[in-house]
Amino acid sequence: MVDFTVGVAMTPLDQLSGIARTAEECGFSSIALPDSLFFMEKQTVDYPYTPDGSRMWTADTPWVDPLIAAAAMGAATSTIRFYTQVLKLGSRNPVLLARQVGSVANLTGDRFGLGVGIGWAPEEFEWCGVPYARRGKRVDEMIDVLKLILGGGMVERIEILNHAMTRWSATVVSCQASFGSRIWPSSSNSLVVEFSAANYSDFYFKPPVPY
């Protein structure tokens, strides 16, 4: 049996719930949700998935937070699954993200999977207050943190030891979720994340060829 997924990148937001219901009625198994934090006026590095390095969307292109979209579409459906393809992990806080992911997993009846990538734009890291340097190693450690919290139960202490990230800790953290370890790394030809896939995840998204 072959499973089919519907991609909803750059879809008008008022159509998402209807698309989810129709996809479920037609027998699709899942919906893939993209991620984009913001549109910067000028980019300092090439976008990796177009031949000329330009972005294939504009400032007016609709983007919704994928976790919020999954919760909304999950409320309109009963069986179809949702996953991020992929969420830019490098610029996010893993403790806050774990709480969000655990919430979505519960609200959708455990129909959510988390696909993660590092992120390609230095601006997203800078404007979120996270260093762009050594982002691959930091993402490795963030996946460890996510899996620890999402494994369920109380976590007494979490600490990022990599010197590239500010040292911090969180005490008595519980997202009250039984999410397991459905975390799937992807990358844009990154050896760091391909190594992570072998050590931290259940599956690996092979990056698409350039458009």
Side-chain angles (χ1 to χ4, degrees):
M1 180 178 178
V2 178
D3 292 330
F4 291 94
T5 297
V6 176
V8 294
M10 296 177 271
T11 298
L13 306 192
D14 59 357
Q15 298 180 16
L16 290 175
S17 292
I19 289 173
R21 286 192 295 267
T22 301
E24 184 174 82
E25 292 169 0
C26 293
F28 285 87
S29 65
S30 58
I31 290 179
L33 302 163
D35 181 36
S36 182
L37 294 179
F38 52 76
F39 185 90
M40 49 277 197
E41 183 179 8
K42 296 181 180 179
Q43 60 189 85
T44 57
V45 300
D46 287 345
Y47 179 65
Y49 300 121
T50 57
D52 63 358
S54 64
R55 291 165 289 181
M56 52 190 171
W57 63 93
T58 70
D60 297 322
T61 302
W63 292 89
V64 66
D65 183 286
L67 302 181
I68 295 175
M73 290 189 286
T77 57
S78 58
T79 59
I80 197 166
R81 302 185 61 81
F82 308 94
Y83 64 88
T84 52
Q85 191 187 28
V86 290
L87 183 135
K88 298 175 181 179
L89 181 57
S91 52
R92 284 177 163 86
N93 180 297
V95 175
L96 295 178
L97 179 61
R99 185 174 186 273
Q100 294 170 324
V101 169
S103 298
V104 173
N106 278 286
L107 289 172
T108 59
D110 202 27
R111 291 184 286 139
F112 182 74
L114 182 66
V116 298
I118 294 176
W120 65 275
E123 290 83 0
E124 291 183 334
F125 289 77
E126 177 184 355
W127 294 1
C128 290
V130 180
Y132 187 64
R134 302 183 67 85
R135 57 199 178 278
K137 176 60 176 176
R138 193 168 58 253
V139 164
D140 284 350
E141 295 172 335
M142 292 170 74
I143 292 175
D144 276 339
V145 171
L146 286 170
K147 294 182 75 170
L148 180 64
I149 298 174
L150 292 170
M154 299 301 295
V155 178
E156 294 183 353
R157 183 175 179 83
I158 301 171
E159 192 171 73
I160 296 291
L161 299 177
N162 182 15
H163 68 273
M165 188 177 207
T166 301
R167 195 177 184 123
W168 56 268
S169 64
T171 57
V172 195
V173 174
S174 175
C175 62
Q176 298 182 357
S178 180
F179 183 73
S181 58
R182 295 191 306 278
I183 301 177
W184 309 312
S186 179
S187 72
S188 55
N189 302 318
S190 168
L191 293 178
V192 173
V193 180
E194 289 201 27
F195 175 80
S196 299
N199 291 273
Y200 297 107
S201 66
D202 297 327
F203 301 95
Y204 172 60
F205 286 140
K206 185 64 177 176
V209 296
Y211 291 90

